[in-house]
Amino acid sequence: MSRRPVPLPAEHIPPGTPEWRTADVLRWLDAVPSPWAHPLFALLALAVSVAWEVTAAPVPACTSAEPCGSDWTGLAVAVVLVLSLYWVWRQPRLAIGGLAVTVVALAVEDGVTVFARPSALAYLLATGFAVAGLGHRLAVAGRQRALALEAAGSAVQPLPDAARTFRRGRMSFVLAALFLTVAGFGVHQALGIADAYEKRAVSASHLSGEVTAVDEDDGLLTVTAEGRTYRTETAFPEDFPVDTRVDLVVDGDQAVLVAEPYDAFGWEVLVLAGSVTGLAFLVNGVVGRLGARRLRRGPLPVLHVMVREGEEDGRTWVFAADDTEGRRPVLWFHSQYADDDGAEEAEDDLGTDDGDFGLDKVAQVLRGDGPAPPLREAVLYGAPYTGAEVAFVARDDEDDPEVAVECSVTSVKPAVPLWNTGGQQARGRKHPRRPVEEIAAGLTPSAEPRVWRAHGFSRGLGAGLLVVQGGGVWAALEDGPSWHWLMLAVALPWLVTSVATATTWRITADRDGLWVLTAWRVRRVPWDVMLSVTHREDGIDIGRAEDDAVRVSPTGWAWLERRLGREPGAERVADELRALLLRPDLRPADEALSDRQGMPVGPLLVALTVLWGATALLLL
């Protein structure tokens, strides 16, 4: 029996506050971006085109007339590019500006004719596709805002006093300062290396000689100049073949190429990483603070809703006011309590007055046996739409007479994958485990054994891991015996098992139990020893009475499947197996023969791996 929602005292519901009912909620949920506009597609297109451009674009050779050094302009463009890829997911408006900057920078550096190069043209097209998707997402967010305002009508109320003093972004600003300081340190070190070279070059000897030998493996050149032989390092040995004339700066026994005076690449990478991370935190803090400030500007639309805190992720889920059982979430965000003194509450603060109660709550969370968070009646302040900031008033539980004010600390997101535009099932399922009655309704009794096998996503994952396995074997054997072989010996058993399982796993149900095919064997699990069937961490766990669970993993990639708007295939298998476990009348009446049980392919994959390794040793 479901618990009734925790009521909100009438005096805390502003007069005239409308209920956000299911009919309006469904219209709001229907205003989601089209499938093509999901940021994952834009990121993939941009990532592929950037990788192609980096590998295909001509790289000017380092010469004495134009030596290679620190390219701070190029590094700044790289920072903007990486940030733009991140903003495609988080900050659509900034992503549009950042991508425009990278296209302009490419055209300025090489001229407009650069887009005649296929890789540059591909990046331009990918950028256009990404910008079109970003514009579509912004337009949809505007549509959601209009629908929320329409549902709220003329009801507006000032923000509660506690929320007026709530501040966002402090931790983001602290982290931004930390990472930007690291980036500044990297700039200081890189400039120091350049200055040290300039000072050394003033008093050093400047010689010209010919390259007499090239060691491309170690990046060393042997140069003969004025009757003496010098060995110097280079990052691009292919640019200096034998008999090439080069200029040297010689200081004692040290000689460096004028074309490659110094190497600050490591510090430049630090500058890139620190700048991107620091600026990302800085922008997140500024955007959050501006959003919270907009909430305080004037009266806000209000909506009467239901809220619930997520059991596993701490999210605040919002439901329609007439959804008193919390079946269909509308949107979600993370929130924190707002107190009257304006302090921003720490994320790890339990907010309790009784220390013992707090410790008990922590223990319950760690054990996973605490009571499920209740559904609570609430008043939502602010028009909800994708990317918005909101606040709400609700009671924590029925035993607490006081109401609490909470403010969002992440932007509002719809409770659906961004490209999933239809299907109540896709929108309404918050908990992965469906009721047994719902599953059983889709199963019909059958005498024939039931068989579940690896689906498309699972086989795709297995194929990807197989490529990783083959590439790892080839790379480890390429340079002969080395410590890389130890890494291969550690990783290879896991890879072989994962590939074999992901591509060929099979579970067969008959009258007496299950036949479970994994990488190495077929295991028998009778019905009378089974305790549970669960889908967890991309695997299916079959609990048994006499020993540990039988685990089949990996069985797919649930995260990606959900992002594509699909129900994970292995999750559906686990649901149906659980229905057979709890409803014996649905179990098959016949026994599964050996041809229905499958054959392990782990040993075959080991043989193929050995053959692949032998081929690599013969060809390398």
Side-chain angles (χ1 to χ4, degrees), residues 106-377:
L106 185 61
V108 169
E109 181 180 5
D110 297 329
V112 179
T113 57
V114 68
F115 297 113
R117 188 167 64 235
S119 58
L121 179 60
Y123 177 69
L124 180 63
L125 295 176
T127 300
F129 172 73
V131 170
L134 293 167
H136 176 69
R137 288 164 55 192
L138 291 172
V140 165
R143 172 64 175 161
Q144 288 179 330
R145 183 176 185 274
L147 289 171
L149 291 174
E150 181 182 337
S154 60
V156 292
Q157 292 292 330
L159 198 65
D161 292 338
R164 287 181 175 276
T165 56
F166 186 79
R167 294 294 182 268
R168 280 280 312 273
R170 292 180 184 176
M171 183 58 67
S172 292
F173 290 139
V174 171
L175 293 174
L178 175 63
F179 283 104
L180 290 177
T181 300
V182 171
F185 176 73
V187 172
H188 174 74
Q189 292 296 106
L191 293 176
I193 291 176
D195 291 341
Y197 167 77
E198 296 293 341
K199 293 177 181 179
R200 188 169 66 250
V202 172
S203 59
S205 301
H206 294 258
L207 305 177
S208 179
E210 290 186 353
V211 177
T212 57
V214 180
D215 185 350
E216 294 191 0
D217 293 335
D218 295 330
L220 294 175
L221 301 180
T222 302
V223 181
T224 301
E226 297 185 359
R228 292 190 59 183
T229 299
Y230 301 92
R231 291 176 66 83
T232 181
E233 294 182 354
T234 175
F236 307 100
E238 65 276 6
D239 291 343
F240 303 98
V242 175
D243 296 335
T244 300
R245 193 103 187 144
V246 296
D247 297 319
L248 299 177
V249 173
V250 180
D251 183 12
D253 294 332
Q254 294 184 346
V256 297
L257 294 170
V258 174
E260 299 180 27
Y262 56 88
D263 180 12
F265 179 75
W267 294 113
E268 292 169 355
V269 171
L270 180 65
V271 172
L272 175 65
S275 299
V276 168
T277 309
L279 290 173
F281 276 117
L282 179 63
V283 169
N284 286 347
V286 170
V287 170
R289 182 143 295 187
L290 291 177
R293 183 175 297 176
R294 283 194 294 269
L295 281 179
R296 302 193 297 271
R297 285 181 180 173
L300 299 170
V302 289
L303 290 168
H304 191 185
V305 297
M306 298 289 174
V307 298
R308 173 185 281 150
E309 183 180 354
E311 297 180 57
E312 299 178 357
D313 49 25
R315 297 174 177 179
T316 297
W317 297 86
V318 176
F319 302 82
D322 54 350
D323 186 5
T324 56
E325 295 186 0
R327 293 184 178 274
R328 188 191 307 276
V330 185
L331 56 90
W332 66 270
F333 50 86
H334 288 93
S335 62
Q336 289 182 2
Y337 289 101
D339 50 27
D340 292 330
D341 61 6
E344 187 175 6
E345 188 168 300
E347 291 183 3
D348 58 350
D349 188 359
L350 293 176
T352 59
D353 296 326
D354 188 340
D356 293 338
F357 176 76
L359 293 176
D360 290 342
K361 184 176 181 179
V362 171
Q364 289 177 346
V365 171
L366 293 176
R367 293 194 306 265
D369 58 0
L375 193 67
R376 299 178 287 161
E377 192 178 9

Side-chain angles (χ1 to χ4, degrees), residues 33 36-47 49-50 79-100 102 123 126-138 276 280 283-284 386-387 411 413 418-419:
W36 65 269
H38 193 279
L40 179 61
F41 291 143
L43 283 176
L44 289 176
L46 289 169
S49 62
V50 168
V79 169
V80 173
L81 174 61
V82 178
L83 277 173
S84 299
L85 296 178
Y86 167 69
W87 286 337
V88 164
W89 205 283
R90 292 290 302 273
Q91 306 290 349
R93 289 182 175 85
L94 293 177
I96 292 174
L99 291 174
T102 60
Y123 177 69
T127 300
F129 172 73
V131 170
L134 293 167
H136 176 69
R137 288 164 55 192
L138 291 172
V276 168
V283 169
N284 286 347
T386 303
S411 58
K413 296 180 179 61
L418 289 182
W419 60 48

